[in-house]
Amino acid sequence: MGPAPAGKQLRGATGGPEVMEPALEGKGKEGKEASSRKRTLAEPPAKGLLQPMKLSRAELYKEPTNEELNRLRETEILFHSSLLRLQVEELLKEVRLSEKKKDRIDAFLREVNQRVMRVPSVPETKLTDQSWLPAGVRVPLHQLPYAVKGCFRFLPPAQVVVVGSYLLGTCIRPNVNVDVALTMPREILQDKDGLNQRYFRKRALYLAHLAHHLAQDPLFGSVRFSYTNGCHLKPSLLLRPCGKDERLVTVRLHPCPPPDFFRPCRLLPTKNNVRSVWYRGQSPAGDGSPEPPTPHYNTWVLQDIALESHLQLLSTMLGSAQGLKDGVALLKVWLRQRELDKGQGGLTGFLVSMLVVFLVSTRKIHTTMSGYQVLRSVLQFLATTDLTVNGISLCLSSDPSLPALADFHQAFSVVFLDSSGCLNLCADVTASTYHQVQHEARLSMMLLDSKADDGFQLLLMTPKPMIRAFDHVLHLRPLSRLQAACHRLKLWPELQDNGGDYVSAALGPLTTLLEQGLGTRLHLLAHSRPPVPEWDISQDPPKHKDSGTLTLGLLLRPEGLTSILELGPEADQPEAAEFRQFWGSRSELRRFQDGAIREAVVWEAASMSQKRLIPHQVVTHLLALHADIPETCVHYVGGPLDALIQGLKEASGTKGRMVMFQGGELVMVPNVEAILEDFAVLGEGLVQTVEARSERWTV
């Protein structure tokens, strides 16, 4: 037989899985059975490894319980497969906070509360007299114009309350943020603090004094400023623990007024609280015309007033319903993977939580639903409901003094009112962002209904930044050019409402301009503003031009994309003047084969690849004409496959050439027909491939 292989010798020497019993004396039946029996050596189980559960025969074949039958039935109806259910449950386990981390966070919050209450007071001074501030801290607000009436003094907060997702149990990893509301005492505020940014100046000074004293405490490893949801009038103070717990949690301090200090009737979307004489140094039109309303400014004040009431509403609806909390967590993951919750105007986790509350109140979601059912219900609502046309409200009051939904639609692009009937929760959400959310919700519902094997991976695990979601992407930089665009478009009321934020003021008119110019070529236009990075307390707050790049994404329609003609009205129509004004020098009169004389715009495009880039010409022309943004500031990314197609054309090989007589000699010349045939085959293959994998590419 020869020696055993080395591997078998090693396993035998080290204690293989089987060892023969030594031969027993005697020829009895028991001795023979013992001598021929093999036994397995018992080894202690390795630590950290799951061991198989030993069940008796009765336990293996017992009938399923009612709970198990209901779970199987629910899995078959709702999840389409057991795998999807397991994936969702494992995802929720990964994003939830563990009890150990919650205990450590709670201990840190108690320490924060004690230190905030021990910050010393400051005697009363004028708002413009800020000499009492130490040299190592700066006011986290652009004070323009600087002159403003009012007085300020610092007193410890009247109340410190944890608000937001952490207290509700809907906070998700990896970035754990805990929002803490600091109610400023009434002695700090005055009756007319709602006018001309006085409240926001006091709020910023309150944070600056807190930051100076908390930065000296060894409990905190980092004390920095940041903007609340990108709003430059509402900074917040970020506190992180020191040592190994530095990445455990970020506590965000939000000063707010007493709940009943400001009268809501003065903060309706039709009211003005930023006077033109103070902000611009002149009246709105110089002829005594009424002041323009400041709906966004009023909303930012109302948001601080409603912090505690929103917390109470969410606690009532989500408090004991674990399925609703799981649904909110899944929705947050869905938004984060698509970058729909980033920057100013994003659809935040707070907004989707309030949307779940609305659907519960309208009985479209039940408190006994699972997290997956809540996710599907919210996505279905978003896919089929256009809040830019028909707003929704949580207010049940029939008070005739409250404004109607139509009044909010005149002031805001997206309307979703809270329970007070005065605050639009989606005031900062633009129409473009909401339409992008609708588009993604439709694609997600199609994916869930298709029962694809990789549906969970594409829905909740695959990042989908703008460069993946859109056909063409353009970047506008530097952002300082948008200041000139505001002057060209005469957006003085918008600048006054947004406190000088020319990026926010110009964003809506620019997207409307491009949507009108691209017309039927465009399926969806969306924008992305990166969040403003946090900054040290010893630095000045970032300027508007320092907030990165404004990115616009274009999702195009195949129909009409390659048309080089923009057909306008006939020359004798009144709309012809508007067409010429919109297109400028590009518009010209042309006679067509049917004898009609029309205004028209013709774009230069010789090849098919150039025709696919006609949107580039449209965008650069309109931005330069109407917004004073030159072509050098528009960085356009489109047609990435054109180089690949051109390479295939050049490598057409022998089939793309033929032999012909020229001047009595045989020469090789391109065979145009064969090349066109190759392109036809290539085009059909690309179309079939895209159609077969369209869901995987677009979700």
Side-chain angles (χ1 to χ4, degrees):
M1 295 291 293
K8 293 185 179 180
Q9 289 180 351
L10 182 60
R11 287 195 294 272
T14 57
E18 293 183 352
V19 175
M20 299 295 295
E21 287 277 3
L24 299 177
E25 295 182 357
K27 298 182 180 180
K29 183 177 180 181
E30 296 179 359
K32 292 180 179 179
E33 291 178 356
S35 63
S36 61
R37 187 171 63 246
K38 297 181 181 181
R39 65 180 178 86
T40 303
L41 290 180
E43 295 182 358
K47 293 183 179 180
L49 295 179
L50 294 176
Q51 300 299 319
M53 183 180 296
K54 295 182 179 181
L55 299 175
S56 65
R57 185 178 182 85
E59 292 174 330
L60 282 174
Y61 296 100
K62 70 177 182 179
E63 294 182 357
T65 62
N66 289 333
E67 182 181 355
E68 292 172 341
L69 288 175
N70 291 334
R71 182 178 176 87
L72 291 172
R73 190 180 300 110
E74 181 182 312
T75 300
E76 181 181 1
I77 296 174
L78 300 177
F79 291 87
H80 307 310
S81 67
S82 300
L83 176 61
L84 178 58
R85 180 166 196 158
L86 291 173
Q87 289 172 324
V88 170
E89 292 175 351
E90 288 299 318
L91 174 62
L92 289 172
K93 291 179 183 178
E94 287 295 322
V95 299
R96 288 196 193 108
L97 283 175
S98 64
E99 293 299 326
K100 291 183 178 180
K101 287 189 176 181
K102 287 182 180 180
D103 294 340
R104 290 156 59 191
I105 292 174
D106 291 341
F108 181 67
L109 289 174
R110 287 191 290 269
E111 296 291 338
V112 170
N113 185 14
Q114 295 176 6
R115 281 154 173 80
V116 167
M117 298 303 294
R118 290 202 299 260
V119 174
S121 303
V122 171
E124 185 174 293
T125 60
K126 292 185 177 181
L127 274 176
T128 53
D129 181 12
Q130 300 173 7
S131 58
W132 56 272
L133 277 175
V137 64
R138 306 302 295 258
V139 180
L141 182 71
H142 295 291
Q143 304 180 74
L144 296 174
Y146 186 78
V148 66
K149 296 180 181 179
C151 300
F152 174 78
R153 59 182 298 194
F154 182 89
L155 294 174
Q159 189 178 14
V160 179
V161 180
V162 176
V163 295
S165 60
Y166 177 75
L167 203 61
L168 298 170
T170 59
C171 184
I172 63 172
R173 300 163 54 199
N175 300 321
V176 180
N177 298 311
V178 179
D179 296 304
V180 177
L182 309 178
T183 303
M184 295 186 291
R186 291 178 177 272
E187 294 82 1
I188 297 178
L189 303 174
Q190 297 169 318
D191 291 338
K192 294 186 178 181
D193 279 351
L195 293 174
N196 300 338
Q197 301 182 9
R198 297 181 195 175
Y199 164 70
F200 294 113
R201 301 284 176 94
K202 293 185 177 182
R203 190 180 183 277
L205 290 171
Y206 199 87
L207 283 178
H209 184 67
L210 279 173
H212 170 68
H213 288 275
L214 296 181
Q216 302 174 8
D217 197 304
L219 174 69
F220 305 109
S222 173
V223 179
R224 300 172 68 84
F225 288 127
S226 177
Y227 287 142
T228 303
N229 296 328
C231 177
H232 71 285
L233 286 180
K234 294 177 62 177
S236 57
L237 186 62
L238 308 184
L239 306 176
R240 297 185 178 93
C242 63
K244 62 179 182 179
D245 289 338
E246 183 177 3
R247 297 185 179 181
L248 174 66
V249 64
T250 298
V251 176
R252 301 186 293 198
L253 303 184
H254 305 274
C256 62
D260 56 347
F261 184 81
F262 292 109
R263 294 176 60 187
C265 62
R266 295 182 179 179
L267 298 170
L268 298 179
T270 56
K271 301 294 183 179
N272 173 276
N273 284 291
V274 181
R275 303 293 189 253
S276 300
V277 174
W278 172 79
Y279 184 75
R280 298 171 53 188
Q282 59 183 4
S283 59
D287 55 359
S289 59
E291 293 277 357
T294 54
H296 290 88
Y297 176 94
N298 301 344
T299 297
W300 294 332
V301 179
L302 286 172
Q303 287 173 352
D304 285 356
I305 297 175
L307 282 176
E308 292 186 35
S309 62
H310 290 163
L311 174 65
Q312 294 173 0
L313 176 63
L314 290 169
S315 299
T316 303
M317 290 292 188
L318 309 181
S320 59
Q322 186 59 42
L324 299 184
K325 296 180 181 180
D326 293 343
V328 171
L330 292 175
L331 286 166
K332 288 183 177 181
V333 174
W334 183 81
L335 290 171
R336 180 176 296 178
Q337 295 290 14
R338 287 151 184 80
E339 299 182 353
L340 296 173
D341 59 340
K342 292 185 177 180
Q344 185 176 4
L347 200 71
T348 61
F350 167 72
L351 290 180
V352 295
S353 301
M354 296 298 287
L355 185 57
V356 169
V357 170
F358 171 78
L359 294 178
V360 172
S361 64
T362 56
R363 299 183 180 180
K364 294 182 180 179
I365 289 180
H366 197 269
T367 54
T368 59
M369 285 185 173
S370 65
Y372 179 76
Q373 289 175 290
V374 174
L375 173 66
R376 284 187 62 101
S377 300
V378 174
L379 291 180
Q380 179 66 24
F381 177 83
L382 290 173
T384 57
T385 307
D386 191 355
L387 297 184
T388 63
V389 179
N390 299 313
I392 57 178
S393 175
L394 284 167
C395 181
L396 303 178
S397 174
S398 58
D399 188 354
S401 63
L402 293 175
L405 282 174
D407 298 330
F408 286 92
H409 276 292
Q410 292 180 358
F412 304 104
S413 301
V414 186
V415 176
F416 177 20
L417 303 186
D418 73 340
S419 56
S420 69
C422 299
L423 172 59
N424 181 19
L425 300 173
C426 292
D428 295 330
V429 181
T430 63
S432 299
T433 299
Y434 185 76
H435 290 153
Q436 183 185 3
V437 172
Q438 277 195 298
H439 174 71
E440 294 293 341
R442 294 190 191 102
L443 294 178
S444 299
M445 288 304 300
M446 292 171 57
L447 179 65
L448 292 175
D449 294 337
S450 67
K451 303 180 182 180
D453 294 337
D454 55 352
F456 172 81
Q457 185 73 22
L458 296 174
L459 183 69
L460 296 172
M461 299 297 291
T462 304
K464 190 180 180 183
M466 180 167 285
I467 195 66
R468 291 184 181 180
F470 292 89
D471 298 317
H472 294 181
V473 175
L474 59 114
H475 307 280
L476 297 180
R477 58 176 183 265
L479 289 180
S480 57
R481 293 299 308 181
L482 295 180
Q483 192 169 9
C486 290
H487 290 278
R488 173 66 69 89
L489 296 171
K490 299 179 180 179
L491 302 177
W492 292 111
E494 287 78 3
L495 284 172
Q496 189 170 328
D497 185 22
N498 288 276
D501 185 0
Y502 48 81
V503 180
S504 299
L507 187 56
L510 286 183
T511 54
T512 303
L513 175 71
L514 296 183
E515 287 174 350
Q516 181 180 353
L518 292 170
T520 57
R521 289 185 172 90
L522 185 67
H523 176 68
L524 177 66
L525 185 148
H527 59 81
S528 174
R529 294 180 61 181
V532 181
E534 57 192 52
W535 68 95
D536 192 78
I537 62 173
S538 61
Q539 299 175 344
D540 290 323
K543 297 181 179 180
H544 306 305
K545 64 180 180 180
D546 299 331
S547 59
T549 301
L550 176 60
T551 304
L552 302 177
L554 309 179
L555 192 62
L556 303 172
R557 299 180 186 271
E559 305 85 5
L561 174 61
T562 57
S563 174
I564 64 172
L565 180 66
E566 300 286 346
L567 190 60
E570 294 186 0
D572 56 350
Q573 296 292 327
E575 296 82 5
E578 298 178 3
F579 187 87
R580 288 191 298 269
Q581 182 181 7
F582 183 77
W583 291 107
S585 60
R586 280 282 188 175
S587 177
E588 56 186 5
L589 282 175
R590 284 182 171 262
R591 182 186 295 274
F592 294 88
Q593 293 181 354
D594 60 354
I597 301 177
R598 293 176 174 271
E599 294 285 345
V601 175
V602 180
W603 305 103
E604 297 84 3
S607 63
M608 185 59 68
S609 61
Q610 293 176 350
K611 291 180 179 179
R612 286 192 290 268
L613 289 177
I614 287 178
H616 183 197
Q617 300 183 48
V618 176
V619 168
T620 53
H621 172 70
L622 291 178
L623 291 180
L625 177 64
H626 294 283
D628 198 19
I629 299 177
E631 186 176 357
T632 55
C633 296
V634 181
H635 303 267
Y636 199 93
V637 180
L641 294 179
D642 289 340
L644 174 62
I645 296 175
Q646 186 67 25
L648 292 174
K649 178 180 177 182
E650 295 176 354
S652 56
T654 306
K655 186 178 179 180
R657 298 179 180 274
M658 62 182 180
V659 180
M660 290 187 63
F661 280 97
Q662 288 186 0
E665 297 181 358
L666 290 173
V667 295
M668 297 286 291
V669 297
N671 186 352
V672 179
E673 294 181 357
I675 294 175
L676 293 178
E677 182 182 354
D678 289 345
F679 269 104
V681 175
L682 174 63
E684 293 176 0
L686 287 175
V687 169
Q688 293 174 1
T689 303
V690 171
E691 290 178 350
R693 298 180 58 85
S694 59
E695 294 179 352
R696 298 190 63 178
W697 286 10
T698 56
V699 178

